[in-house]
Amino acid sequence: MKALVYHGPGNKSFEEKPKPEIKAPTDAIVKILKTTICGTDLHILKGDVPEVTDGRILGHEGVGVIEATGSNVANFKIGDHVLISCITSCGKCEYCRKGMYSHCENGGWILGHLIDGTQAEYVRIPYADTSLYHIPEGANEEALVMLSDILPTGYECGVLNGQIKPGDTVAIVGAGPIGLASLLTAQFYSPAAIIMIDLDNNRLQVAKRFGATHTINSTGQNIIEEVMAITGNRGVDTAIEAVGIPATFEVCQAIIAPGGHIANVGVHGKSVSLHLESLWSKNVTITTRLVDTVTTPLLLKTVMSKKLDPLLLITHRFRLTEILQAYETFAHAEKEKSLKVILSNDTA
């Protein structure tokens, strides 16, 4: 089969790889129909995730059709259309029983990380019964690709950890796909204001269309002064960090109000400064999280009821054989005006 393969920082290729096979009775083999590229894949290519080794097939999002199942798979059969979770869950270990699937002792984030992922014609899914979801009849499969990772990530790591409440003021630092997913799902809780901060005017315009009440371009405006002007010099109740660099975490610390929540979502490859000299007395909560995907069923219902439209996040479509071009488009978001890209398996 063809797959996108990592060969060290800055080096990737679309090449022939062996088709995956069942290794354990709880496995399923899924023929990929649609997949996508994540900001985390770009972090891997920068060398920010050193556990990813040479030869790894990247990708942890997608929808597909079951092609084979292990003898212990009970919930799925050959031919079923499925949503692939970015998090693999055994469903039985101590962490899974707590709903912390991201720390599953036998799984967690392993697709495209510790085992081969979804940017390929086929993928092996361990613990299929608890790591796949049935796709409802009539669902838009492109939209559901957004439920593999970015929507539960924005919702769980940003909105839920940020404890957004009706009437709150929220700042989201980073208007990329994850920041916009946080924006879309923050509106479940009717905050009074959502301030989007980014250096890309196109993404800020998109954020306005998605429901942001204020936008700040970090290259042309003083972020802290602008936020304080909007909030009456108080700061924001929730600051969501959705980039993963020291500068954006600094911004969150500078704009948070007493009693506020800083919810980190970004993947950080470098250390950041924690300004306890100014935060120690402010009753501020700082949270980190790797998405657990415990909210995927809730989000799936919300999408099917048309209360949430993930198609808004998709800007470009490619064939799987065009994945190198898709990476260029995704990596140069400002120039290409890209958010999420969809890759369709040519052989599907």
Side-chain angles (χ1 to χ4, degrees):
M1 69 170 185
K2 289 284 193 179
L4 192 284
V5 183
Y6 173 76
H7 290 297
N11 192 359
K12 63 187 181 298
S13 68
F14 191 59
E15 62 188 65
E16 287 285 345
K17 293 281 280 186
K19 185 177 171 183
E21 298 178 348
I22 299 289
K23 290 185 177 180
T26 51
D27 287 351
I29 304 300
V30 177
K31 180 177 184 177
I32 293 292
L33 297 179
K34 310 281 184 184
T35 186
T36 186
I37 302 168
C38 180
T40 305
D41 297 321
L42 299 185
H43 278 286
I44 291 170
L45 285 165
K46 282 189 212 171
D48 289 346
V49 190
E51 313 88 68
V52 181
T53 55
D54 186 354
R56 177 69 60 229
I57 297 172
L58 297 186
H60 49 266
E61 302 163 88
V63 298
V65 178
I66 300 281
E67 172 145 304
T69 60
S71 57
N72 286 0
V73 175
N75 296 337
F76 299 93
K77 64 183 184 304
I78 293 170
D80 283 351
H81 281 224
V82 292
L83 166 66
I84 299 167
S85 175
C86 67
I87 298 296
T88 300
S89 163
C90 76
K92 296 180 179 180
C93 72
E94 181 179 352
Y95 287 114
C96 285
R97 287 178 178 275
K98 291 179 180 177
M100 291 176 64
Y101 303 151
S102 61
H103 291 274
C104 172
E105 293 171 7
N106 305 298
W109 173 40
I110 57 175
L111 286 175
H113 178 209
L114 305 179
I115 68 171
D116 287 336
T118 59
Q119 290 169 11
E121 293 180 87
Y122 297 89
V123 63
R124 180 179 69 91
I125 304 296
Y127 303 106
D129 278 342
T130 43
S131 303
L132 296 171
Y133 297 88
H134 287 281
I135 292 180
E137 189 78 26
N140 185 302
E141 292 185 347
E142 288 190 355
L144 294 194
V145 174
M146 304 299 107
L147 293 187
S148 286
D149 183 356
I150 65 165
L151 278 165
T153 296
Y155 184 49
E156 293 174 18
C157 306
V159 175
L160 294 183
N161 269 12
Q163 296 191 24
I164 296 171
K165 302 181 297 300
D168 276 356
T169 299
V170 179
I172 302 173
V173 186
I178 289 289
L180 292 171
S182 299
L183 166 63
L184 289 171
T185 54
Q187 293 169 73
F188 292 168
Y189 298 94
S190 302
I194 305 178
I195 307 164
M196 292 296 293
I197 301 165
D198 201 277
L199 45 73
D200 184 334
N201 277 326
N202 174 64
R203 288 187 167 187
L204 291 174
Q205 289 169 8
V206 170
K208 273 281 195 183
R209 294 202 303 271
F210 285 12
T213 57
H214 303 79
T215 59
I216 299 171
N217 187 309
S218 53
T219 56
Q221 297 169 273
N222 184 306
I223 300 171
I224 298 166
E225 288 181 3
E226 292 288 331
V227 169
M228 291 306 168
I230 293 166
T231 62
N233 216 36
R234 179 178 167 273
V236 297
D237 300 297
T238 298
I240 296 174
E241 197 288 324
V243 181
I245 60 173
T248 49
F249 193 77
E250 291 268 357
V251 167
C252 291
Q253 294 180 79
I255 63 175
I256 198 68
H261 291 78
I262 298 174
N264 184 82
V265 186
V267 178
H268 288 269
K270 296 179 180 177
S271 62
V272 301
S273 297
L274 179 61
H275 291 291
L276 284 177
E277 74 279 6
S278 57
L279 295 177
W280 72 270
S281 62
K282 292 180 72 172
N283 289 34
V284 167
T285 301
I286 300 174
T287 56
T288 67
R289 186 171 181 174
L290 183 61
V291 63
D292 292 302
T293 66
V294 290
T295 62
T296 300
L298 175 155
L299 292 168
L300 183 55
K301 289 179 184 177
T302 308
V303 170
M304 293 307 295
S305 67
K306 303 191 185 307
K307 302 292 185 185
L308 180 65
D309 184 8
L311 286 173
L312 294 169
L313 295 162
I314 300 168
T315 56
H316 293 74
R317 292 168 174 83
F318 298 90
R319 296 189 299 274
L320 184 61
T321 52
E322 299 171 316
I323 192 167
L324 294 177
Q325 180 186 345
Y327 260 93
E328 286 300 303
T329 299
F330 185 68
H332 297 92
E334 188 169 6
K335 175 187 171 188
E336 302 291 344
K337 294 181 167 49
S338 61
L339 292 171
K340 289 295 279 186
V341 303
I342 285 289
L343 295 150
S344 298
N345 187 355
D346 309 70
T347 62

